[in-house]
């Protein structure tokens, strides 16, 4: 059998990306191309992503990005086994742009369409980069999502815990905005934290020690704001120390919640995870990665984290998820609709996805 060659399109937020990935019959994967255009300049004046601007930017560059990805892979559309696109969750305008384009390519080339859940793409990326076997424990941490899931197979995800308020990445971005740091905020907080004293402020660790593996960031975020207000006007060192103390609290919280998630995983699945997989943009944070590496060792398992360019939103993860689904005979009709919300575990209720 030949490799499955899949074009993947990602437009759910502020990255326009297209990629081609090959999946061998053995299940091994290889990235042939991965083109990413960011929208940092477009959104920087507003301190965050503006949905209407994001959708317009996707329209302006997506065709060029796809052509570049196909050229870099050395392929024609006739070589593809399928076309995959993120069909949600995300900013609905951007999702519509990517999915509609994928439908047009699939229709004109008579190739199957695979509508990919953006979260599933994050969940499966470690199988592309690290060959992780099922079942594994997934920590999904991004600007919009913070979840712990048991990943049992393609299409089989059971949510163990989630955030009750802010996502981890969202909290980083809000702290950055609070401290007048440039957009995108998360990496800025991490850089400032390197210069600060993580012990200067005793910020709370919400949910620490709780058995249920949920997260809460709003109380921590409020504590940082109150301290910043008390110190105003802030010196550079104040900003460094606030970032360092905030990040240290998040690191402690995540490590504790992952340990709770591992206990819940064993209770639910009946065995330990083959790996602790970290996915999403926050997975690029060095301090968080180091803490999770130590946590994985404590849990007696290995940690798998895709390289930074595959942690943030990208077309390769969409193409890979499409190839994984296609290998199981899963395709979608051209009538499928884009979705602003799309939980990985439909049985999950309450709490923020």
């Amino acid at each position: 059998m030949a490799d499955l060659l899949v074009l993947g399109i990602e437009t759910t937020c502020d990255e326009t990306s297209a990629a081609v990935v090959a999946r061998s019959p053995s299940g091994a994967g290889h990235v042939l191309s991965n083109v990413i255009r960011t929208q940092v300049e477009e959104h920087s004046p507003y301190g965050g992503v503006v949905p209407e601007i994001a959708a317009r930017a996707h329209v302006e560059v997506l065709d060029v990005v796809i052509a570049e990805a196909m050229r870099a892979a050395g392929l024609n559309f006739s070589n593809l086994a399928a076309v995959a696109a993120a069909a949600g969750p995300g900013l609905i305008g951007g999702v519509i742009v990517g999915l509609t384009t994928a439908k047009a390519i699939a229709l004109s080339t008579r190739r199957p369409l695979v509508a990919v859940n953006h979260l599933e793409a994050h969940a499966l990326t470690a199988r592309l980069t690290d060959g992780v076997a099922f079942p594994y424990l997934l920590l999904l941490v991004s600007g919009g999502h913070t979840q712990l899931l048991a990943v049992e197979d393609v299409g089989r995800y059971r949510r163990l815990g989630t955030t009750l308020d802010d996502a981890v990445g969202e909290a980083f971005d809000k702290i950055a905005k609070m401290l007048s740091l440039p957009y995108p905020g998360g990496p800025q907080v991490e850089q400032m934290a390197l210069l600060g004293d993580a012990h200067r402020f005793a910020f709370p660790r919400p949910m620490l020690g709780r058995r249920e593996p949920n997260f809460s960031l709003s109380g921590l975020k409020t504590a940082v704001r109150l301290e910043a207000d008390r110190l105003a006007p802030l010196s550079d060192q104040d900003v460094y120390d606030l970032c360092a103390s905030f990040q240290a609290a998040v690191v402690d919280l995540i490590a504790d919640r992952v340990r709770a998630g591992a206990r819940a995983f064993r209770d639910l699945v009946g065995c330990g995870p083959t790996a602790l997989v970290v996915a999403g943009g926050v997975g690029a944070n060095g301090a968080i990665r180091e803490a999770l590496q130590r946590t994985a060792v404590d849990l007696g398992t290995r940690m798998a984290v895709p390289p930074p360019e595959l942690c943030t939103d990208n077309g390769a993860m969409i193409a890979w998820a499409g190839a994984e689904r296609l290998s199981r005979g899963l395709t979608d009709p051209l009538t499928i609709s884009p979705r602003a919300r799309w939980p990985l575990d439909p049985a999950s209720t309450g709490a923020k996805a």
Side-chain angles (χ1 to χ4, degrees), residues 41-53:
E41 289 187 8
E42 289 88 339
H43 300 290
S44 289
Y46 307 96
V49 178
V50 180
E52 293 81 3
I53 293 175

Side-chain angles (χ1 to χ4, degrees), residues 65-82:
V65 168
I66 292 171
E68 187 176 339
M70 294 298 294
R71 185 166 55 251
L75 299 174
N76 298 314
F77 288 122
S78 60
N79 302 126
L80 298 175

